[in-house]
Amino acid sequence: MSGNPNARPPKRRKSTALSRKIRGGNKKRSSYDLVAARESLGLPPKANAQQISCAVAPSVTNTVDNPSPLKKEVKARLAEQVNKNLLLTKEVSEAQKSVTHKTNQIQTLKQKVRDLSDALQIERKKSRDTIAKLLSDAERIMSDACEIESEADRKMHAAELKVCMERDRSKSFKEAVEEKVSMEKEKSKHNMQEERRRSAARLVS
C-alpha cells in the first residue's frame, strides 16, 4: 500500500443498538398506542414512530431567539401531549361506545316497531277473517230463519185451511143431522097422525 506508513488505520464503527435496529435486529417493543396516536394526530395509518414524534414535538429552530429546549422539557412536553392524545383517544372511544350503544338501541327499537307492525297486521287479518266469518254465519242464519218462517207460514196456512175444511165439514154434518132429525120428526108426526086416524076410524066403525 502506498501512502504515509505512519498513518493510523481507519477506525471501525462499533455496532450500536441503533445500528442493530436499523439493520432489523432486536427491537424494543413499546407500550405506546401508535394507532390511537395516529388517529388523534390525523396521520396516515402507515405513519411510523418517528413521524408521530415529529408531529407531537414542537418545532425546533436553531435561532438564538428560540433556543432548543432541554431534553427533560422535551420529554415533559411529549408526555403531556401524549397524555392529551390518550385523553382525547379515550373520549373518542367513549363517544364511539355511546354512539354504538345508541345505535344498538335505535336498531332494537326499530326491530320492536317492525315486530309490533307485523303483529298488528296479523291481528288485523284475524279480525277481518273473524268479521267475514260472522257475517257469513249471520247470512246463513238469516237464510235459515227465512226458510223456517216460510215453512211456518205454509204450515199455518195448511192448518187454517184444514180448520176451515173441518169447520165446513162439521157444518155440513150438523146440517145433515139437523135435516135428518127434522125428517124423523116429520115422519114421527105423520105416523102419529096416521095412527090417530086409524084409531078414530076404529072407534067409528
Side-chain angles (χ1 to χ4, degrees):
M1 294 178 59
S2 62
N4 189 0
N6 295 326
R8 293 180 181 179
K11 293 181 180 181
R12 297 183 64 183
R13 183 176 296 177
K14 294 181 180 181
S15 177
T16 62
L18 181 59
S19 62
R20 287 197 302 272
K21 183 176 181 181
I22 294 174
R23 291 196 303 268
N26 295 329
K27 295 181 180 180
K28 184 179 179 181
R29 295 183 178 272
S30 175
S31 60
Y32 184 65
D33 192 350
L34 297 178
V35 176
R38 292 189 193 101
E39 292 179 354
S40 62
L41 294 172
L43 295 175
K46 295 184 178 180
N48 55 27
Q50 184 177 3
Q51 292 173 336
I52 294 174
S53 299
C54 292
V56 172
S59 61
V60 180
T61 60
N62 293 326
T63 60
V64 178
D65 296 334
N66 189 14
S68 298
L70 297 177
K71 187 176 181 180
K72 290 183 179 180
E73 187 178 353
V74 171
K75 287 184 177 181
R77 290 181 182 180
L78 180 60
E80 183 181 359
Q81 188 65 36
V82 169
N83 290 332
K84 288 182 180 180
N85 293 336
L86 291 176
L87 182 61
L88 290 173
T89 302
K90 184 178 179 181
E91 291 178 355
V92 170
S93 178
E94 290 178 354
Q96 288 177 347
K97 289 181 180 179
S98 177
V99 170
T100 302
H101 180 66
K102 291 185 180 299
T103 301
N104 292 334
Q105 286 183 339
I106 291 172
Q107 293 298 328
T108 302
L109 290 175
K110 286 183 178 180
Q111 184 62 40
K112 287 183 179 180
V113 170
R114 285 194 293 269
D115 294 340
L116 289 174
S117 178
D118 294 339
L120 181 60
Q121 293 296 330
I122 293 173
E123 290 299 326
R124 284 179 177 176
K125 185 177 183 304
K126 287 182 179 179
S127 299
R128 288 195 296 269
D129 294 340
T130 302
I131 292 172
K133 185 176 183 302
L134 290 175
L135 289 175
S136 178
D137 293 341
E139 290 178 356
R140 180 176 54 79
I141 292 171
M142 289 293 293
S143 178
D144 293 342
C146 290
E147 291 182 0
I148 292 171
E149 186 177 2
S150 299
E151 183 67 21
D153 290 339
R154 287 194 297 271
K155 288 182 178 180
M156 182 66 70
H157 181 69
E160 290 177 353
L161 183 61
K162 187 175 182 180
V163 168
C164 291
M165 290 177 64
E166 290 295 330
R167 186 183 301 164
D168 293 339
R169 186 183 299 172
S170 297
K171 185 178 180 181
S172 299
F173 179 74
K174 182 179 179 182
E175 290 177 352
V177 169
E178 288 178 352
E179 184 178 359
K180 186 175 182 180
V181 170
S182 177
M183 289 178 64
E184 290 292 331
K185 285 182 178 180
E186 289 292 332
K187 187 177 179 181
S188 296
K189 185 178 180 181
H190 180 73
N191 290 336
M192 289 179 66
Q193 289 178 354
E194 287 293 329
E195 188 68 28
R196 285 176 183 176
R197 286 194 202 97
R198 290 176 185 170
S199 297
R202 287 195 203 101
L203 290 175
V204 171
S205 61

